[in-house]
Amino acid sequence: MTLKVKVCGVKSITHVKACIKGKAKMIGLMFYNKSPRFINLKTAKKISSFAKKKIKRVGVIANLNIEEIKEITENVELDYLQFHGNETTDFLRNIKKILKIKIIKALQISNKNSIKKISNFKKVSDYILLDTKIIKKHLNLKKSKELNWNLIKKIKNKDSLILSGALNINNLKKATKETNFNFVDVSSGLETVSGEKSIKKIDKFLQLATKL
């Protein structure tokens, strides 16, 4: 089975073209304004319009209220919303009901107890993204780190799970082999400097993914 890839933090149509060419499954548009990958609604709308029906479009947000989320979805056509903050299951259930949109929930996985949260959020999410961090209110985003692969490889049903956490061309093969995940999220591992994607790195990562 070919490895599925979500490329997060794209900022241009050139990035999207590289993702489509490399057969990525999703692109992530960053609406968290403290991220170096943040894009405004005007840029996001252009990217979304180009990507429509070519690749799935994910809006990445954290700790926004319903009105702020509506402003994004009314201006930018998206296939998924990815919640990367302290959102509760009730909040996500309400969002899904009101906006009729698919949901990805990012969860911070740091110990065995945090793994227990997965089953609760699976009930209201189409995918769960496992990361080493989430965005807490009033705190700046910390640099991504590798997940503890030994911790998550024992999770039985991985069908709707996405592996994240400092993935790059050098650790992708080992990460997927050790965890047995078939869907990954990559962002900083495709950058030359923080927030700036390299087309060459996108190409190489997606070429490797097709072989795994």
Side-chain angles (χ1 to χ4, degrees):
M1 184 188 290
T2 303
L3 185 66
K4 292 179 282 190
V5 179
K6 171 177 166 277
V7 177
C8 202
V10 300
K11 294 167 82 172
S12 70
I13 286 172
T14 308
H15 292 160
V16 179
K17 285 179 179 176
C19 293
I20 294 165
K21 179 188 166 192
K23 297 184 168 55
K25 183 178 175 67
M26 297 177 180
I27 53 167
L29 305 176
M30 179 62 74
F31 297 106
Y32 175 63
N33 61 12
K34 290 181 183 175
S35 169
R37 297 162 198 94
F38 171 76
I39 52 173
N40 60 35
L41 292 177
K42 186 179 177 182
T43 301
K45 190 171 185 176
K46 284 181 185 174
I47 293 172
S48 170
S49 298
F50 176 81
K52 187 174 182 178
K53 294 186 178 176
K54 299 184 185 90
I55 192 166
K56 296 296 181 188
R57 303 153 299 174
V58 181
V60 183
I61 58 179
N63 303 316
L64 297 184
N65 63 41
I66 182 67
E67 294 308 316
E68 291 169 320
I69 295 169
K70 275 184 179 176
E71 186 185 2
I72 292 169
T73 57
E74 285 169 4
N75 282 282
V76 183
E77 191 176 348
L78 298 166
D79 301 294
Y80 292 82
L81 277 175
Q82 178 177 313
F83 293 85
H84 223 97
N86 297 320
E87 299 86 8
T88 64
T89 52
D90 286 343
F91 180 81
L92 297 182
R93 192 177 286 110
N94 198 33
I95 290 291
K96 204 164 194 178
K97 186 179 177 183
I98 295 168
L99 298 182
K100 307 284 191 287
I101 193 165
K102 291 181 177 178
I103 285 174
I104 300 171
K105 178 67 181 99
L107 293 178
Q108 181 176 18
I109 303 299
S110 52
N111 53 46
K112 286 180 182 177
N113 283 335
S114 53
I115 287 176
K116 293 174 185 175
K117 294 184 288 188
I118 294 172
S119 58
N120 284 337
F121 279 96
K122 265 191 175 184
K123 295 168 189 171
V124 293
S125 308
D126 297 275
Y127 287 100
I128 303 289
L129 184 143
L130 307 186
D131 207 342
T132 52
K133 63 182 183 337
I134 59 167
I135 298 160
K136 295 179 180 176
K137 288 182 181 178
H138 315 303
L139 288 177
N140 288 331
L141 187 62
K142 291 180 181 174
K143 194 174 179 184
S144 185
K145 298 182 296 187
E146 278 185 9
L147 268 177
N148 180 341
W149 299 330
N150 284 325
L151 190 63
I152 58 171
K153 70 180 179 184
K154 292 165 187 165
I155 299 169
K156 289 186 174 71
N157 183 4
K158 299 184 174 84
D159 288 348
S160 59
L161 302 184
I162 303 173
L163 179 67
S164 187
L167 293 173
N168 56 58
I169 195 165
N170 298 316
N171 64 12
L172 178 63
K173 186 174 182 179
K174 187 179 180 187
T176 52
K177 188 178 179 182
E178 289 195 13
T179 63
N180 206 26
F181 271 62
N182 62 13
F183 200 164
V184 298
D185 174 277
V186 61
S187 185
S188 60
L190 303 180
E191 296 171 354
T192 44
V193 295
S194 183
E196 299 302 324
K197 294 279 183 293
S198 156
I199 297 299
K200 188 184 280 188
K201 287 192 174 191
I202 293 173
D203 289 346
K204 284 187 175 180
F205 188 93
L206 293 175
Q207 282 168 16
L208 176 60
T210 60
K211 297 170 187 171
L212 297 178

